Amino acid sequence: MRRSIVFAVLSLLLLCGGLCLSANAQGFDSDRMELASFLRRMYNNEPFEGVRVVSDYDNAYLLSVITLDKAKYPSESALNRVASVKAMSEASRYFNGSSISSDMIIHTRESKEGESDVWIVENIREHSYGYVKQLEQLTTFPSASGRQVFIYYKRLEQ
């Protein structure tokens, strides 16, 4: 009799512990999946690129959205690496800033008929320092335009 009571109590504790453990373990992954689904719908509604901050009731996230043409890269790993580096670069510019310089060159040429051709070349350079490495890939999916969309994120401290 005593053995059956102890066995029943241990079974209930294990069952409750297993249920509680699975409920807690599911929280992070389901939150991540919900965020990815929300951002995918947001992107499909109105496509965007670059860095954005999105917040919900409890958290704020830094997003870096990159779109790449899959045909330009020889392998899937090269495509993923380029997307990762571009996402970190954009996040670095967001956090650390950048300096932009611009040069404008005006070319003129006179023809034999006395007419002159003028064309303008503008060179824009951007320099940024720093590196943001804490980004994680949240999701990737093909866009309506045929390009591959990569969404990287980092949870921000509030």
Side-chain angles (χ1 to χ4, degrees):
M1 174 90 169
R2 223 181 217 183
R3 274 189 177 166
S4 62
I5 292 174
V6 169
F7 182 72
V9 169
L10 286 175
S11 297
L12 283 173
L13 286 173
L14 287 174
L15 180 63
C16 178
L19 289 175
C20 295
L21 180 62
S22 66
N24 287 338
Q26 187 177 4
F28 177 72
D29 196 38
S30 68
D31 288 347
R32 206 178 137 142
M33 289 174 58
E34 287 175 13
L35 178 63
S37 177
F38 169 73
L39 293 172
R40 188 174 185 165
R41 286 190 314 267
M42 188 170 130
Y43 183 88
N44 287 332
N45 188 33
E46 183 156 342
F48 61 93
E49 277 191 68
V51 176
R52 282 192 175 185
V53 175
V54 175
S55 61
D56 62 9
Y57 298 110
D58 300 325
N59 300 305
Y61 302 97
L62 174 82
L63 304 177
S64 184
V65 180
I66 306 294
T67 61
L68 297 174
D69 185 7
K70 287 178 80 168
K72 291 184 178 180
Y73 299 94
S75 67
E76 192 76 22
S77 64
L79 179 72
N80 288 329
R81 181 66 184 147
V82 168
S84 174
V85 169
K86 282 189 169 193
M88 288 185 277
S89 173
E90 286 188 358
S92 174
R93 275 186 253 140
Y94 178 79
F95 279 120
N96 302 319
S98 64
S99 63
I100 299 172
S101 63
S102 174
D103 299 327
M104 185 178 292
I105 302 170
I106 302 172
H107 294 277
T108 59
R109 180 178 57 190
E110 288 191 32
S111 64
K112 293 180 180 177
E113 293 84 34
E115 298 175 2
S116 62
D117 294 330
V118 177
W119 66 94
I120 300 172
V121 177
E122 186 174 11
N123 295 320
I124 300 172
R125 292 180 191 89
E126 180 177 18
H127 300 282
S128 177
Y129 299 99
Y131 195 68
V132 175
K133 195 172 181 168
Q134 297 93 4
L135 293 177
E136 294 180 50
Q137 184 176 341
L138 180 63
T139 187
T140 181
F141 56 92
S143 69
S145 65
R147 295 171 61 92
Q148 191 71 18
V149 178
F150 295 85
I151 299 180
Y152 290 84
Y153 82 112
K154 176 185 179 204
R155 196 170 125 209
L156 299 174
E157 302 298 323
Q158 292 187 356

